[in-house]
Amino acid sequence: MTATVTATIDAAVSALKGGEIQWSRTDLAARRRLLEEIHANTARHAQEWIETAARIKKLTVDSPLLGEEWVSGPYSLLTGAAALAESLLALEQGRSPVDGYPMRPAPGGRTAVDVFPHGIFDALLLNGFHAEVWSRPGVDAESVRARAGLGQRTPTNTGGIGVVLGAGNIFSIAPLDVLYQLYADNRVVALKLNPITDPLLPVLEKIFAPMIERGFLRLITGGPEVGSALVNHPGVDAVHITGSAITHDAIVFGTGAEAEKNRAAGTPQLTKPITSELGGVSPTIVVPGRWSSADLRFQAEHLATQRLHNNGYNCIAAQVAVVSADWPQKERFLAELRAAIGRAPQRPDYYPGSADRVAAARRTYPQAQAIGARTLIEGMAPDRHEPALHTEYFAPVLGVIELPGDPAEFLARAVRVCNEEIVGTLGANIVAHPTTIKRLGARVESAVAELRYGTIAVNAWTGLGYLTARASWGAFPGHTLADIQSGIGVVHNALLIAEPERTVVRGPFRPAPRSLLHGEFSLSPKPPWFVTNRTGATTLRRLTDFAKKPRIAALPGIFASALRG
């Protein structure tokens, strides 16, 4: 490690030590105003953010895929800061952040907090979509209410200095992780940017200027040696990483023979607390039913989106489709899936190693089908020895496994396979026809409860859980440093709910107007985040503009663009 690196990190830690004292003296009202300033700065610099993101991801300025950058970039930070500010205001006024949010009993002695839609604008803009945060078993509504607020319940008791090791794929991850450290954990923060995102440094400096000026945040760039020195600095109290399990284990246990020795002995070389969001192999369970041709096409595009959003460089990207071997419409669905993958816009591989990972998947599976630069693998076995069930490809690779049984038997088998044979617990999706859901009755809710995943989506994509500021985001609880899977802890969670277990997202099986014609009370057309949506960039840019300043006058333009998609 060079003297320059040492000096840079020492200076950052020293400044943050002073900043922690100032943070402990900053009351809730002032902390809320900081969030409002960050919101205003994000709105002011959103266009610069998107232009920078386009250069990093090698997208043209008129690419329809820029919608992904609007919604997973400035929009996510705008809504996250606004929702946190609401929680701070509640605490200022002596209320719980969850006051006013409907709650209901959930299976297994859990409590479900209804977090989306929140207000009339949510209900109009994403009509038919719904999200709940479930507590852990045995936690009642009163306990949820009493404990919500986390570190902001005792703002003078700060948690030292936290290091955030930023992600390189979705550009709101690192900013939102910073806010979670500051507000949920009540720590000041050193953010080490992923080198992929270094070009965003000037934008983030402008957005977070109020935090930086007061010593609450430092932004740091550099390679692995900088990250290692920062994490292991004696002045740092805690670490949060978004990345791969391999990177996490290298930080915690070291590398090579030393790592294996440390793991076996249960003696991690990193002794300070570490939380993490590490992805994994996310499944989508396609429950058999009687689908129309339009249903088959739409849900094939839905599944293609779950894999191909951001070219597959998502921790939550679906990597395995679980379908029924006995479904009479199976072949038609798979044909529509191949077609949807082929229709999705082609894009450059910007994430390092992508082409190598695709090539490795094709070498492993001789039956793999190349669909342009994408890969579909059918005929996989539903057990943990199958490479694609325990290797996160982080690339445009989608596998298919088949299980026998009628809808009820199939769903039960699929839940077992997802829980026991597939690595990772970040998110799982279920797609099922409304008639099938009605016939299965309580077995669908039981499947949701039995799935051991941090976010579960029914007729929606778990990515919507990421975009929902008041939802929790992270692995299913219970992992250990020695078996990290998708990580430890949660982020986002703007209601500051203590120890949430999971988020459950639900959506319409069909887009409007077909939804209304078939008795689903949803006005949402094809979602703008679908990779096949022709106006996604325009719709999501307008949605971001709305998040800057919510107002009725902006709604017609958003609806018009969404309907054209």
Side-chain angles (χ1 to χ4, degrees):
M1 183 170 60
T2 67
T4 301
V5 169
T6 300
T8 298
I9 293 174
D10 285 345
V13 171
S14 177
L16 288 168
K17 284 188 178 296
E20 184 188 6
I21 296 171
Q22 185 62 30
W23 184 243
S24 71
R25 298 171 178 169
T26 304
D27 63 21
L28 291 174
R31 293 180 181 202
R32 175 175 52 81
R33 289 192 291 272
L34 283 169
L35 288 166
E36 291 167 351
E37 288 184 65
I38 288 169
H39 186 280
N41 288 344
T42 304
R44 190 173 299 116
H45 300 291
Q47 184 63 45
E48 181 183 356
W49 180 329
I50 295 305
E51 291 170 356
T52 305
R55 289 194 296 273
I56 294 171
K57 296 192 176 181
K58 303 176 183 177
L59 298 174
T60 60
V61 294
D62 60 349
S63 172
L65 295 170
L66 278 184
E68 297 178 357
E69 299 311 309
W70 282 108
V71 76
S72 67
Y75 172 83
S76 293
L77 185 53
L78 287 164
T79 55
L84 267 175
E86 284 187 16
S87 292
L88 268 287
L89 179 61
L91 291 166
E92 284 175 60
Q93 297 174 342
R95 299 181 289 111
S96 170
V98 300
D99 283 351
Y101 288 81
M103 299 190 199
R104 70 172 181 90
R110 300 171 173 90
T111 298
V113 184
D114 194 337
V115 300
F116 187 93
H118 178 62
I120 187 63
F121 288 143
D122 282 351
L124 289 171
L125 288 167
L126 283 174
N127 189 263
F129 289 90
H130 181 256
E132 297 175 326
V133 174
W134 287 16
S135 74
R136 299 188 187 191
V139 179
D140 62 17
E142 189 51 45
S143 297
V144 171
R145 185 173 292 108
R147 297 177 64 196
L150 297 177
Q152 299 312 294
R153 299 188 66 84
T154 54
T156 59
N157 298 334
T158 51
I161 298 172
V163 166
V164 169
L165 299 177
N169 58 332
I170 296 295
F171 295 160
S172 61
I173 291 177
L176 290 170
D177 290 351
V178 164
L179 293 184
Y180 204 71
Q181 289 282 309
L182 280 160
Y183 287 90
D185 297 320
N186 208 26
R187 297 187 184 106
V188 294
V189 184
L191 167 60
K192 160 64 174 63
L193 292 175
N194 186 297
I196 294 173
T197 67
D198 282 355
L200 279 169
L201 177 64
V203 179
L204 296 178
E205 287 177 331
K206 295 169 188 174
I207 290 173
F208 282 99
M211 294 288 191
I212 296 170
E213 291 164 1
R214 291 166 176 80
F216 305 153
L217 173 65
R218 284 293 180 269
L219 305 181
I220 297 171
T221 60
E225 73 285 354
V226 175
S228 177
L230 187 59
V231 164
N232 291 290
H233 193 285
V236 166
D237 298 283
V239 177
H240 178 78
I241 177 176
T242 300
S244 71
I246 293 172
T247 301
H248 170 275
D249 287 354
I251 292 169
V252 172
F253 293 108
T255 57
E258 178 191 19
E260 292 306 314
K261 180 180 177 181
N262 288 338
R263 188 194 302 275
T267 54
Q269 67 177 21
L270 182 75
T271 56
K272 56 194 71 173
I274 180 170
T275 54
S276 49
E277 191 265 84
L278 306 173
V281 175
S282 293
T284 294
I285 300 170
V286 183
V287 183
R290 189 174 179 181
W291 297 9
S292 70
S293 296
D295 295 338
L296 291 164
R297 180 183 176 95
F298 177 77
Q299 292 298 344
E301 291 184 357
H302 192 184
L303 180 52
T305 293
Q306 294 172 12
R307 177 70 261 182
L308 297 179
H309 183 281
N310 199 34
N311 209 34
Y313 311 137
N314 283 340
C315 295
I316 199 60
Q319 185 168 301
V320 177
V322 186
V323 302
S324 170
D326 300 325
W327 185 22
Q329 294 179 299
K330 177 191 68 176
E331 293 301 334
R332 287 184 62 193
F333 176 73
L334 293 177
E336 288 286 3
L337 178 60
R338 296 181 204 106
I341 293 171
R343 283 195 303 273
Q346 299 292 319
R347 60 184 300 165
D349 293 337
Y350 79 89
Y351 206 89
S354 175
D356 292 339
R357 291 189 294 275
V358 171
R362 292 180 179 179
R363 286 195 302 271
T364 301
Y365 293 99
Q367 78 272 31
Q369 305 165 58
I371 306 174
R374 290 78 181 258
T375 300
L376 180 66
I377 308 167
E378 297 179 45
M380 299 194 316
D383 64 63
R384 68 188 63 193
H385 302 294
E386 192 68 66
L389 302 192
H390 60 76
T391 302
E392 184 184 13
Y393 286 119
F394 214 67
V397 176
L398 176 64
V400 178
I401 60 176
E402 298 182 15
L403 300 174
D406 63 25
E409 295 166 339
F410 166 82
L411 182 58
R413 285 192 175 100
V415 168
R416 184 194 63 77
V417 167
C418 290
N419 282 341
E420 299 177 11
E421 310 296 344
I422 297 178
V423 167
T425 64
L426 187 60
N429 310 280
I430 300 174
V431 176
H433 192 285
T435 300
T436 305
I437 291 175
K438 185 176 180 180
R439 288 174 178 167
L440 289 174
R443 282 174 286 197
V444 175
E445 192 76 351
S446 294
V448 171
E450 291 166 12
L451 281 165
R452 296 194 291 269
Y453 287 84
T455 299
I456 298 162
V458 180
N459 288 337
W461 177 34
T462 45
L464 185 58
Y466 176 92
L467 297 176
T468 302
R470 295 173 180 85
S472 60
W473 184 252
F476 193 77
H479 298 312
T480 65
L481 292 181
D483 181 24
I484 196 61
Q485 299 251 355
S486 292
I488 295 172
V490 301
V491 289
H492 302 191
N493 187 29
L495 294 178
L496 301 174
I497 295 170
E499 297 186 318
E501 183 185 63
R502 72 183 80 195
T503 286
V504 179
V505 180
R506 303 178 200 269
F509 181 73
R510 306 175 181 91
R514 285 198 307 113
S515 55
L516 296 172
L517 296 173
H518 290 84
E520 287 185 276
F521 297 104
S522 170
L523 299 176
S524 292
K526 177 190 287 188
W529 55 82
F530 269 39
V531 290
T532 50
N533 191 302
R534 296 171 296 178
T535 61
T538 300
T539 303
L540 294 171
R541 175 178 56 78
R542 291 179 180 178
L543 186 63
T544 304
D545 287 341
F546 178 84
K548 297 176 185 177
K549 185 180 179 181
R551 58 210 182 277
I552 293 175
L555 297 179
I558 297 173
F559 293 151
S561 179
L563 288 169
R564 288 194 301 271

